[in-house]
Amino acid sequence: MSAEIISGTAIAKEIREELKYRVLEMRSDGAVPGLATVLVGANPASQLYVGMKNKAAKEIGIHSRQIDLPQDVPEEELLGIVEGLNADPEIHGILVQLPLPDHIDEDRVLLAIDPAKDVDGFHPRNVGALSIGRRDVMTPCTPTGVIEMLMRTGNAPRGKHAVIVGRSNIVGKPMAALLLRKGEDGDATVSIAHSRTPDMGAITRQADILIVAVGIAGLVTADMVKPGAVVIDVGINRVDAPDTERGYRVVGDVDFEGVKEVASAITPVPGGVGPMTIALLLKNTVDSAGRLAPDRNRGAM
Ligand code: NAD
């Protein structure tokens, strides 16, 4: 039997609609959520991502400000800009697009962002708060988007064995912390497999929920998946496709065609986790605006 295809595109649209309504309410109370994106240099992928984030923010009524800086901007100048945004009452979310040029210490910049405005959820204070199970913190957009997908498709992780493949700081580790939090959207038994895990299939076959975030096309094949598992593919990979106009195709880490015959539900790539990441960035910004002006936080999700 073929798996249910979980459309991240549709779920992300639903979330954006909900947020649009919340922003309308906030605006009618005189509060406009504000997102600042900082882009250093002219990396085409980064330009594309920042452009998509700003467009999505504007579409739901968030005030968005894009700050473009030259590739050779001194670190001190960038830190000064972050300080200015920290103090700016019109800005509730600050996103510094990574990667930064080599002469800039990325950790120093991320540490400079006010944790209350850290909509990426990468500040060590937010990482620590998540790891002790706190709920009143900003959590990273991609793994939080995965939780939303599970919850909105009737696949709550409570009591399930969730296996994560990949242990990065932006996906794998926060994914584990979210799944371990107490509550219906957590309470999972969590295993993490990674590049040093021998016989990965023996681990992944135990998964009721299998989340793959590695960056290797087709890494997870049908024989590595328990029949009936829910499979979430975070990977984004380009593979050559000379027959297409662009010359490449975008695929995930999961062999979609094979695994969909074994799983009960699966996310496609593209159209799966990707759109959720931006939706959660918008949600973090609106939540932050609500927290920073609590008397205006009506209709919170
Ligand atoms: P990363 O390179 O930081 O981490 C990859 C992880 O995979 C590492 O922890 C490593 O231990 C593990 N790994 C490497 N080879 C492995 C193997 N053979 N078997 C098992 N594990 C192995 O990558 P990341 O930033 O976590 O991103 C992972 C993938 O997810 C990439 O394809 C990235 O493009 C994609 N991604 C997508 C979104 C989205 O919005 N959909 C967001 C972030 C990342």
Side-chain angles (χ1 to χ4, degrees):
M1 200 185 77
S2 215
E4 173 202 343
I5 311 298
I6 300 176
S7 169
T9 308
I11 300 171
K13 186 162 176 253
E14 193 178 290
I15 293 174
R16 288 201 308 270
E17 286 301 319
E18 292 164 10
L19 290 172
K20 205 184 216 171
Y21 180 73
R22 268 180 72 190
V23 173
L24 258 179
E25 279 208 323
M26 291 170 107
R27 277 179 168 262
S28 71
D29 279 353
V32 185
L35 170 70
T37 52
V38 181
L39 177 64
V40 180
N43 175 327
S46 294
Q47 280 176 328
L48 179 73
Y49 292 145
V50 168
M52 282 163 62
K53 289 168 186 172
N54 279 314
K55 183 167 171 278
K58 283 197 186 103
E59 274 169 10
I60 66 155
I62 290 178
H63 158 69
S64 84
R65 192 188 301 165
Q66 181 172 334
I67 298 163
D68 291 304
L69 299 170
Q71 178 79 11
D72 61 354
V73 65
E75 183 175 296
E76 292 305 322
E77 192 178 325
L78 175 58
L79 289 169
I81 287 165
V82 169
E83 282 308 323
L85 295 170
N86 285 343
D88 189 334
E90 284 187 1
I91 297 300
H92 309 95
I94 303 169
L95 183 147
V96 178
Q97 184 67 41
L98 303 180
L100 290 169
D102 289 345
H103 69 280
I104 294 178
D105 180 347
E106 225 164 70
D107 285 345
R108 213 177 150 210
V109 175
L110 294 182
L111 267 172
I113 297 173
D114 178 350
K117 297 187 177 185
D118 166 40
V119 279
D120 261 338
F122 295 159
H123 192 288
R125 207 156 98 193
N126 287 328
V127 175
L130 169 61
S131 78
I132 59 169
R134 289 257 303 263
R135 286 199 167 262
D136 56 342
V137 290
M138 221 87 82
T139 56
C141 302
T142 301
T144 309
V146 171
I147 297 286
E148 285 283 339
M149 284 179 121
L150 293 172
M151 293 305 290
R152 287 171 187 252
T153 53
N155 292 301
R158 172 174 270 171
K160 306 271 175 58
H161 187 180
V163 174
I164 303 160
V165 186
R167 58 174 163 182
S168 72
N169 291 335
I170 65 165
V171 189
K173 280 192 214 132
M175 190 75 253
L178 287 163
L179 287 162
L180 285 170
R181 277 203 305 203
K182 288 184 178 160
E184 203 195 342
D185 61 350
D187 281 342
T189 302
V190 179
S191 302
I192 306 185
H194 50 78
S195 53
R196 301 286 172 176
T197 302
D199 194 4
M200 199 172 64
I203 312 287
T204 57
R205 273 190 292 276
Q206 296 175 33
D208 304 310
I209 297 172
L210 178 60
I211 300 163
V212 191
V214 173
I216 300 178
L219 177 74
V220 170
T221 46
D223 59 309
M224 297 163 76
V225 177
K226 177 164 87 173
V230 174
V231 179
I232 309 287
D233 190 353
V234 183
I236 301 175
N237 308 291
R238 273 188 187 192
V239 293
D240 288 341
D243 53 321
T244 63
E245 201 177 308
R246 290 186 298 190
Y248 67 87
R249 268 184 314 123
V250 175
V251 299
D253 291 344
V254 173
D255 169 24
F256 182 81
E257 289 306 322
V259 172
K260 83 174 183 349
E261 300 306 322
V262 182
S264 64
I266 186 168
T267 59
V269 178
V273 176
M276 295 297 292
T277 299
I278 292 188
L280 267 293
L281 169 72
L282 304 179
K283 181 173 184 295
N284 276 351
T285 306
V286 176
D287 285 347
S288 169
R291 274 198 286 266
L292 291 168
D295 50 322
R296 287 165 170 160
N297 184 23
R298 294 195 323 185
M301 285 200 303

